[in-house]
Amino acid sequence: MVVKKPRIVIVGAGMAGLTAANKLYKKGAFEVCVVEGGNRIGGRINTSEFGGDRIEMGATWIHGIGGSPVYKIAMESNSMESDEPWECMDGFLDDPITISENGFVLNPSLVDPVSNLFKNLMDFAQGKSNGIGNGGQDGNWHGNGNGSVGSFLRKGLEDYWRLESRKEKEEVNGYGNEYGNGNGNGYGYGNGNRKMLEEAIFAMQENTQRTYTSANDLYNLDYNAESEYVMCPGEEVTIAKGYSSIIQSLASVLPCGVIQLGKKVCKIEWHPESDVQTIENGHDDTRPVKLHFLDGTIISADHVIVTVSLGVLKAGIHDSDDSGMLKFSPPLPNNKIEAISRLGYGLVNKLFMELSPDFTDQFPFLQLVFHRSDSEVKNPKIPWWIRRTATVWPIYKKSRVLLSWFAGEEALKLETLSDEVIRDEVSTTLSTFLSNSSDSHEQCNGNVIENSSKVNLVKVLKSKWGNDPLFLGSYSYIAVGSSGCDMDTLAEPLTKSGSHPLQILFAGEATHRTHYSTTHGAYFSGIREANRLLEHYQCMD
C-alpha cells in the first residue's frame, strides 16, 4: 500500500515561502508545492539593472550581519563580491553634504547637534540607551502624548529648545557662515531664524525614519512597540551579486515543477474545528484545504502556508466583490481579522535617476533640507511630492545613477507620474539645491560641483509596490492602537487541534514580532512554520 505524503502548498515565492519550501522539501517527507501569483520568484526582493549598474527595486540591505541568516546565505553562495558595479552605497555615511532648498550648504556645527538629538531620541525610544542627553530628557522620563513615535520626537525637540533657550535669545550675528554664503537671509528665514532651520533639519531626519518604518506619518507609529524591535548586530551591508541571489540559492534545491508561477490564489477553503465532520471527498482526496485560483483551477492540500503581504490580507478582509482579492471561506476568526486591521502597513518606493553625460563631476551625497510646506518662502518650483524625501545619493561614489527614497503619500504619488514629469521636476529641484553650492566649495567635503546650474537626467526608474496587486505596499509596522501581540495573533495557525490541525499557517515579515519589516524576519517566519509542521509529523532532527 502506498501512503500518500502530506501535501503542503505554500502561497507566495518570496523569502518566507521559499525558506519554508527549502526546509520542508529537503526533509523528504512531504509533497511540497509553491504557488506564486506573479511571473517571477522573490516577492518584495527584485534585483534589476539600470544605467549599467545592478540595483534593487525592493529589499536592499542586510540589516546587521551578526546572526543574520541572509548574510550567512550570501557568504555561502559567494554573493558578497562582484566584478560588476552594484548599489553598494559606499560613502553615503561619510560626511554627507546637508544643503538647503535655496542652495546653501549648512555647516556641521548647525546640523550635527540636531541630528544627534534625533538619533539619541530614537535610541531612547528603541531601548538602546537610558538617557537622551544633548539637552533632551533624562532616562526617568516616559511621558509621550498620544503614544506615538512622532509625538515623542516632537516633544523631545520642544524640550531641547526649552533647555537650550539661548537659541531663542541669541542674535543672528555669528550664524551667517552656517548658511554657506555668509548670511542667513539667503535661506529665506529673514534674520536667519535658527530655530526654524533646526526644525527643518529635524524634519529631514524624520523623513529618513519614515522610509525605515514605511509609516506615512510617525504619529501613526506606536511608541511602546518601538523598544520591542530587535536589530541584528554588526554593520548593514548590501549584496554585491544582488538580493535575488539569496532567493535563487533558496530555490535551487527545489526541482522543476515545485514552484508554479502565474497561479494567483483568490480563495482558500478551510474547516474550523467544529466543522471538520463536514469534509467530503473532493475531486482527488479528503485533504481539508482547497485553494481556488484566478484561472479557475483548484488544488487541495493538507496544510497551506500563507506568506502574502499584510497589505494583501488587509485588502482581503474588506467586503469586496473583487474576485482578485484573497478571501478565506469561512472568513478568518475575528481576533485575526482585528489584528490584521490594527497593524500598520506602509509604502516605500525607490527612485533611480541617471545623470546626463554633460554632468562631469562626481555627484555628492546630499541631505536635503526643505522649508515647511506652509512656508511663504518655499520655492514654488519644487513639487509637494519631493518635499519629504531626505536624500539624493549616487549608488556608489562614481556612479551616474542617483537614488532617492519616498514613503507614504509621496511614494504613492510617485507611482502615478510619468517618467517625463519625474525627470523634469526632479531636475528642477536638484538644480535649485545646487544653484548656490559653488559659493561654498569649502563646505562640500571635497565634492566640488562646477557648472551645476542645471542637473539633467537621462532617464528614471521607480518601484511601484503600492499599486502592485500582489503586494499593495512595502512592509509592516506597529501602528498606534496595535501591538506586537497582533503580530503574534497573525502568526497563529488555523486550526490548532482536531482531526485536521494546522490547515492554514501564516508566515512573512508581518508575522514576526521582533524582526518585522525585514528579509531576515521573513526568513525566520518561514523556518518557524516549517518547524511547526515538522514537529507535528515528528520529523524534527
Side-chain angles (χ1 to χ4, degrees):
M1 178 178 175
V2 177
V3 178
K4 288 185 177 180
K5 293 181 178 180
R7 179 184 293 164
I8 301 170
V9 177
I10 298 168
V11 182
M15 177 67 86
L18 290 179
T19 298
N22 177 290
K23 187 172 184 66
L24 291 168
Y25 179 81
K26 286 193 293 188
K27 183 58 63 174
F30 308 102
E31 178 187 339
V32 178
C33 176
V34 181
V35 291
E36 165 58 48
N39 59 6
R40 62 173 181 84
I41 64 174
R44 284 165 275 179
I45 293 172
N46 185 13
T47 302
S48 188
E49 183 273 337
F50 181 74
D53 294 335
R54 185 179 293 124
I55 60 166
E56 304 290 358
M57 299 299 289
T60 303
W61 296 93
I62 296 177
H63 291 291
I65 62 176
S68 168
V70 179
Y71 182 68
K72 181 180 179 182
I73 295 170
M75 293 297 290
E76 290 174 349
S77 60
N78 194 31
S79 296
M80 295 305 295
E81 296 182 3
S82 173
D83 295 330
E84 303 295 326
W86 82 96
E87 187 182 339
C88 66
M89 300 306 299
D90 61 327
F92 83 106
L93 288 177
D94 298 340
D95 297 322
I97 302 164
T98 306
I99 194 167
S100 73
E101 76 175 68
N102 287 350
F104 301 115
V105 175
L106 305 182
N107 193 290
S109 65
L110 179 64
V111 176
D112 290 351
V114 180
S115 297
N116 289 336
L117 169 67
F118 185 89
K119 180 183 183 302
N120 291 338
L121 287 166
M122 286 307 305
D123 283 350
F124 182 83
Q126 293 167 353
K128 297 176 184 175
S129 68
N130 294 321
I132 295 172
N134 204 17
Q137 296 284 358
D138 63 29
N140 296 320
W141 181 71
H142 299 285
N144 182 35
N146 67 359
S148 73
V149 170
S151 62
F152 167 75
L153 290 170
R154 283 292 160 155
K155 190 175 191 311
L157 180 61
E158 291 291 339
D159 288 340
Y160 174 76
W161 283 333
R162 178 176 57 80
L163 295 172
E164 300 289 319
S165 58
R166 60 178 176 78
K167 292 188 174 75
E168 293 294 325
K169 300 175 183 177
E170 286 178 320
E171 300 295 331
V172 69
N173 298 335
Y175 290 135
N177 64 351
E178 290 167 348
Y179 297 86
N181 72 333
N183 68 76
N185 296 330
Y187 191 80
Y189 282 145
N191 292 324
N193 188 316
R194 181 183 181 112
K195 184 175 179 179
M196 293 178 70
L197 187 51
E198 287 179 331
E199 182 180 18
I201 295 167
F202 197 83
M204 175 188 72
Q205 298 292 346
E206 288 176 313
N207 288 329
T208 297
Q209 192 66 28
R210 289 169 60 235
T211 66
Y212 294 162
T213 64
S214 85
N216 177 56
D217 191 323
L218 296 182
Y219 283 91
N220 297 334
L221 194 63
D222 186 74
Y223 175 83
N224 292 324
E226 197 67 20
S227 60
E228 274 198 86
Y229 189 84
V230 175
M231 291 283 290
C232 289
E235 63 178 320
E236 299 186 72
V237 296
T238 60
I239 302 173
K241 286 189 172 66
Y243 235 114
S244 291
S245 64
I246 307 299
I247 291 297
Q248 295 294 340
S249 178
L250 288 169
S252 64
V253 305
L254 304 176
C256 184
V258 169
I259 301 174
Q260 299 181 28
L261 299 179
K263 298 288 288 183
K264 186 173 183 182
V265 180
C266 56
K267 184 170 71 172
I268 298 177
E269 283 188 80
W270 63 289
H271 294 79
E273 294 169 33
S274 59
D275 193 37
V276 169
Q277 69 271 16
T278 67
I279 297 176
E280 301 174 355
N281 285 340
H283 61 280
D284 59 352
D285 51 36
T286 57
R287 289 176 166 134
V289 190
K290 289 184 172 47
L291 298 93
H292 297 252
F293 296 89
L294 212 52
D295 61 10
T297 59
I298 299 173
I299 295 178
S300 62
D302 294 287
H303 311 280
V304 174
I305 304 178
V306 175
T307 73
V308 300
S309 75
L310 178 60
V312 170
L313 292 176
K314 281 178 174 288
I317 64 175
H318 296 139
D319 292 332
S320 171
D321 295 329
D322 187 348
S323 60
M325 291 294 102
L326 174 61
K327 298 288 185 179
F328 292 86
S329 179
L332 296 173
N334 286 337
N335 67 332
K336 202 173 279 281
I337 289 175
E338 291 165 1
I340 291 169
S341 298
R342 284 191 295 260
L343 286 168
Y345 182 74
L347 175 62
V348 175
N349 277 320
K350 300 171 74 173
L351 175 64
F352 295 93
M353 304 152 278
E354 184 180 357
L355 285 166
S356 64
D358 57 8
F359 195 97
T360 56
D361 301 301
Q362 177 183 321
F363 198 91
F365 292 82
L366 294 182
Q367 293 188 137
L368 308 179
V369 175
F370 292 95
H371 293 293
R372 286 170 47 150
S373 58
D374 59 357
S375 170
E376 295 179 357
V377 295
K378 70 178 183 181
N379 190 320
K381 294 181 179 179
I382 300 176
W384 70 269
W385 62 271
I386 294 181
R387 287 192 166 273
R388 290 213 294 173
T389 189
T391 55
V392 180
W393 292 325
I395 62 171
Y396 54 86
K397 286 182 179 177
K398 295 184 179 180
S399 178
R400 305 192 65 76
V401 174
L402 310 180
L403 169 62
S404 285
W405 295 71
F406 293 82
E409 295 173 352
E410 296 79 21
L412 199 58
K413 176 65 175 179
L414 180 68
E415 295 189 21
T416 69
L417 300 175
S418 69
D419 287 358
E420 182 179 10
V421 168
I422 294 171
R423 281 201 316 269
D424 290 345
E425 295 190 343
V426 173
S427 293
T428 297
T429 299
L430 291 180
S431 298
T432 298
F433 269 85
L434 298 178
S435 60
N436 294 315
S437 62
S438 58
D439 297 336
S440 313
H441 284 164
E442 73 280 359
Q443 304 281 357
C444 288
N445 304 318
N447 293 290
V448 178
I449 311 168
E450 303 288 357
N451 303 317
S452 58
S453 59
K454 181 64 176 175
V455 176
N456 291 310
L457 302 175
V458 177
K459 59 181 178 178
V460 297
L461 178 66
K462 63 192 174 186
S463 59
K464 295 181 284 188
W465 298 107
N467 285 302
D468 191 321
L470 296 176
F471 306 101
L472 299 174
S474 300
Y475 36 88
S476 61
Y477 62 93
I478 307 291
V480 170
S482 66
S483 71
C485 294
D486 286 328
M487 289 188 165
D488 288 343
T489 298
L490 179 56
E492 286 296 317
L494 302 172
T495 60
K496 289 185 177 180
S497 59
S499 58
H500 293 274
L502 305 180
Q503 293 174 45
I504 305 177
L505 303 92
F506 295 84
E509 53 85 15
T511 70
H512 200 292
R513 183 166 182 155
T514 58
H515 290 290
Y516 53 88
S517 81
T518 66
T519 54
H520 62 265
Y523 178 97
F524 288 142
S525 75
I527 293 293
R528 179 192 68 219
E529 298 311 310
N531 284 341
R532 197 190 301 271
L533 288 170
L534 291 173
E535 289 172 2
H536 175 67
Y537 286 100
Q538 300 179 336
C539 293
M540 294 293 286
D541 294 330

